[in-house]
Amino acid sequence: MIILDSESNVPLYLQLRTQIMEAIVRGELAKGDTLPSVRGLAGDLGINMHTVNKSYHELESKGIIEIVPKKGAVIIADTEKHASKKQYENLGEELRPVVAEGLVCGLNEEDLHQLISNIISKIKEV
Amino acid sequence: MIILDSESNVPLYLQLRTQIMEAIVRGELAKGDTLPSVRGLAGDLGINMHTVNKSYHELESKGIIEIVPKKGAVIIADTEKHASKKQYENLGEELRPVVAEGLVCGLNEEDLHQLISNIISKIKEV
């Protein structure tokens, strides 16, 4: 289900983190599901355990999974429930540099909305 | 003009890079202007030269400035000119993980558009 591109300039841990989030968006993974063990997933994907660990810890810090001793990485995100204040602020902080970059590169508000809509379609259609 | 927050969880080089882009958006810096020298800006802001260097190199890789020997970091971005194909694809790649995160956290397309619009107002009003 997860395909990483080692040629991409997007770091592997970020590709992995994003693909797990996108699988949740598409309903392939849902609240309560457990992700594969760090060792198992690293082995399956042929990547370093450290890379998987970094993805899992970022997902945990974003409130998307919880790492439960002896159980593993459990999904706690609920796509039906609106973001917490902290998650919303965090998103704003992550979006701001990219929005600034878009404006510097000559995109306007409408262009950015269009780009967001295109990305949402891509995420949902995979 | 640039105020960095050392308490923030946003890395300093990213804060600096973003604030330079936002100054260009507001027209406080324009195409042809030269940014301060790495040494000078690091001294003024009380940060490591390596941090300023990293910001400048990222701005260069995004086609926003050009580092010209003996002249320094010259702004080449033109907010009136629409993003190149490479810049547009790059923006999409940077936005996708944040959009996925927004959807996982229960935001819908409309919420994301609203968040983008709020960020644009903030950038322009400073």
Side-chain angles (χ1 to χ4, degrees):
Chain A
M1 194 174 68
I2 284 170
I3 299 165
L4 303 182
D5 175 5
S6 57
E7 307 279 293
S8 164
N9 51 4
V10 181
L12 290 176
Y13 85 90
L14 188 52
Q15 291 184 42
L16 177 56
R17 195 191 87 179
T18 304
Q19 289 192 33
I20 292 170
M21 292 195 295
E22 294 184 359
I24 299 172
V25 171
R26 289 194 296 274
E28 295 160 12
L29 289 170
K31 191 177 174 178
D33 287 348
T34 305
L35 298 180
S37 71
V38 171
R39 181 184 299 272
L41 188 54
D44 285 351
L45 296 173
I47 59 176
N48 202 296
M49 279 175 56
H50 177 70
T51 305
V52 178
N53 232 333
K54 187 165 180 185
S55 298
Y56 281 15
H57 277 104
E58 287 212 354
L59 289 168
E60 189 175 38
S61 78
K62 291 177 187 304
I64 293 169
I65 65 172
E66 196 177 344
I67 297 168
V68 185
K70 292 188 182 168
K71 206 171 163 200
V74 181
I75 296 174
I76 56 169
D78 183 345
T79 54
E80 301 296 308
K81 236 177 78 186
H82 199 278
S84 69
K85 190 164 175 285
K86 191 183 159 228
Q87 284 174 327
Y88 194 79
E89 285 174 358
N90 200 36
L91 276 167
E93 237 169 38
E94 292 186 68
L95 272 174
R96 187 160 173 159
V98 197
V99 170
E101 186 180 339
L103 297 174
V104 168
C105 293
L107 270 60
N108 61 27
E109 190 160 346
E110 190 44 56
D111 297 329
L112 283 165
H113 287 173
Q114 191 54 55
L115 185 53
I116 295 278
S117 298
N118 294 348
I119 291 170
I120 293 176
S121 304
K122 268 194 214 153
I123 291 175
K124 293 194 170 165
E125 94 194 351
V126 172
Chain B
M1 192 174 68
I2 284 169
I3 300 164
L4 303 182
D5 176 6
S6 57
E7 307 279 294
S8 164
N9 51 4
V10 180
L12 290 177
Y13 85 90
L14 189 50
Q15 291 184 43
L16 177 56
R17 194 190 88 179
T18 304
Q19 289 192 33
I20 292 170
M21 292 194 295
E22 295 185 359
I24 298 172
V25 171
R26 289 194 296 274
E28 295 161 13
L29 290 170
K31 193 177 172 178
D33 287 349
T34 304
L35 298 179
S37 70
V38 170
R39 183 183 298 271
L41 188 54
D44 284 351
L45 297 172
I47 60 177
N48 201 296
M49 278 174 56
H50 177 71
T51 305
V52 178
N53 233 331
K54 187 166 181 185
S55 298
Y56 281 14
H57 276 104
E58 288 213 353
L59 289 169
E60 188 176 38
S61 79
K62 291 177 187 304
I64 294 169
I65 65 172
E66 196 176 344
I67 297 169
V68 185
K70 291 187 181 169
K71 206 172 162 197
V74 181
I75 296 174
I76 57 169
D78 183 345
T79 54
E80 300 298 308
K81 236 177 76 184
H82 199 278
S84 69
K85 191 164 174 283
K86 193 185 157 226
Q87 284 175 325
Y88 194 80
E89 284 172 0
N90 199 36
L91 275 167
E93 235 169 39
E94 292 185 69
L95 272 174
R96 187 159 172 160
V98 196
V99 170
E101 185 180 340
L103 297 173
V104 168
C105 293
L107 269 60
N108 61 26
E109 190 161 344
E110 190 44 57
D111 297 329
L112 283 165
H113 286 174
Q114 190 55 56
L115 185 53
I116 295 279
S117 298
N118 293 349
I119 291 170
I120 293 176
S121 304
K122 266 193 215 153
I123 291 175
K124 294 193 169 166
E125 92 194 351
V126 171

